[in-house]
Amino acid sequence: MTESVEAVPLSMAAIQMVSGPHVGDNLEAAARLIEEAVRGGAQLVALPEYFSIFGDRETDKVAVRETDGQGLVQQFLADQAARHGIWLFGGSVPIACGHPGRVANACLVYGPDGRRRARYDKIHLFSLTRGPERFDEAATIEPGRTPVLVDCDGPGLGRPVRVGLSICYDLRFPELYRALAPVDLLVVPSSFTARTGAAHWQLLLRARAVENQCWVLAPAQGGRHPNGRRTWGHSAIIDPWGEVIAEREADGEGVVWAALDPSRINDVRAGLPALTHRVM
């Protein structure tokens, strides 16, 4: 059954970065872009996957892993959320796990008071062998097991905005999003390769929006990184009908904004009540 939603738009922003191997430099860039997003009116801001470390080697993120609940990157996110009074989605952060050679790739969510409100560990791990491209996230990442939702509330937002969390390769697995539904917003911080991004990025984002009749916020890495790898970028915001409301088409860092209008969710679900027609 579709819930009644008070039509109070929420301004949100997706940040695009071209992160490198030095955590300090990446945090400086993230702080600058968060401030730009807030100047543009954003109340909810999302950073891309690997925003704090995009190393020369896959093991570099293991070397800078943090204990859950403390560390430079986690403190940065808490401080930025509190300083600007925003909901801040920390793309992904390498968090120590039980395996000494791996980390959890965790999306951390902080409220306007700087308190952490949610942690989601990436469930689906990317693997690709095609020509010179070789990726195996399972070699350095411990997969998560649990889908995670977070309710974002605050003055002027009306009722809480229900948000489903995911990271990058999760986007290819619609069953994860069905487990989260119904939601108002899906957040998909990513670092798609240039090859897979060109073929599938926007197609998959639009499909997840249409299937779940919700908004999609997709901040991404986008450009040529110091390690030579090129990521697709095209950070985007998609509406519940699958329309691309905002997109960064150029390489390089930047911000895209849009207003999450709850009435758009109501209109789409009322006109085509697909979520109520589900039989499995």
Side-chain angles (χ1 to χ4, degrees):
M1 184 174 72
T2 302
E3 295 177 288
S4 175
V5 181
E6 183 181 348
V8 180
L10 169 69
S11 179
M12 55 186 176
I15 288 177
Q16 183 162 302
M17 296 180 65
V18 190
S19 298
H22 303 298
V23 173
D25 292 345
N26 295 329
L27 296 187
E28 286 183 13
R32 182 177 65 252
L33 291 162
I34 291 168
E35 186 170 356
E36 181 180 345
V38 173
R39 285 201 309 268
Q43 300 161 279
L44 185 154
V45 177
L47 293 159
E49 184 181 31
Y50 300 132
F51 77 92
S52 65
I53 176 72
F54 201 103
D56 295 329
R57 297 165 297 277
E58 293 300 318
T59 53
D60 287 356
K61 60 182 174 291
V62 179
V64 297
R65 65 190 181 275
E66 297 184 354
T67 301
D68 189 29
Q70 59 182 340
L72 176 65
V73 178
Q74 293 170 84
Q75 190 62 54
F76 167 83
L77 292 170
D79 290 346
Q80 288 289 313
R83 175 187 174 189
H84 296 293
I86 58 172
W87 285 92
L88 183 57
F89 288 69
S92 73
V93 180
I95 300 295
C97 63
H99 193 291
R102 296 179 181 171
V103 294
N105 195 27
C107 179
L108 306 178
V109 182
Y110 292 81
D113 57 0
R115 288 195 303 112
R116 195 171 91 183
R117 305 298 182 86
R119 168 183 167 176
Y120 165 72
D121 292 357
K122 185 177 184 179
I123 292 174
H124 301 97
L125 303 183
F126 181 54
S127 176
L128 174 71
T129 301
R130 190 169 182 175
E133 291 186 305
R134 296 179 182 275
F135 300 96
D136 181 15
E137 287 191 323
T140 54
I141 295 175
E142 189 82 6
R145 301 293 180 192
T146 307
V148 175
L149 290 160
V150 59
D151 287 337
C152 298
D153 54 11
L157 299 186
R159 73 152 175 84
V161 174
R162 195 160 179 79
V163 183
L165 305 182
S166 62
I167 301 174
C168 200
Y169 193 53
D170 285 330
L171 186 59
R172 295 183 181 272
F173 300 89
E175 60 271 23
L176 170 62
Y177 300 96
R178 281 305 198 205
L180 295 167
V183 296
D184 303 307
L185 174 66
L186 296 169
V187 177
V188 194
S190 298
S191 58
F192 261 58
T193 69
R195 179 193 296 269
T196 59
H200 302 142
W201 170 246
Q202 190 182 105
L203 171 69
L204 291 168
L205 291 175
R206 295 182 67 197
R208 300 296 86 85
V210 170
E211 290 167 351
N212 296 287
Q213 300 184 313
C214 68
W215 291 84
V216 173
L217 180 65
Q221 296 282 351
R224 181 74 64 179
H225 298 264
N227 65 6
R229 179 177 160 189
R230 182 167 173 260
T231 46
W232 179 242
H234 290 259
S235 298
I237 302 174
I238 317 292
D239 87 349
W241 192 247
E243 294 184 6
V244 180
I245 303 302
E247 180 182 12
R248 181 167 177 81
E249 297 184 359
D251 278 356
E253 65 178 36
V255 183
V256 294
W257 294 264
L260 187 161
D261 188 349
S263 67
R264 182 62 169 153
I265 299 172
N266 284 349
D267 291 345
V268 168
R269 293 180 184 178
L272 179 61
L275 292 178
T276 68
H277 296 159
R278 292 173 58 193
V279 296
M280 52 187 307

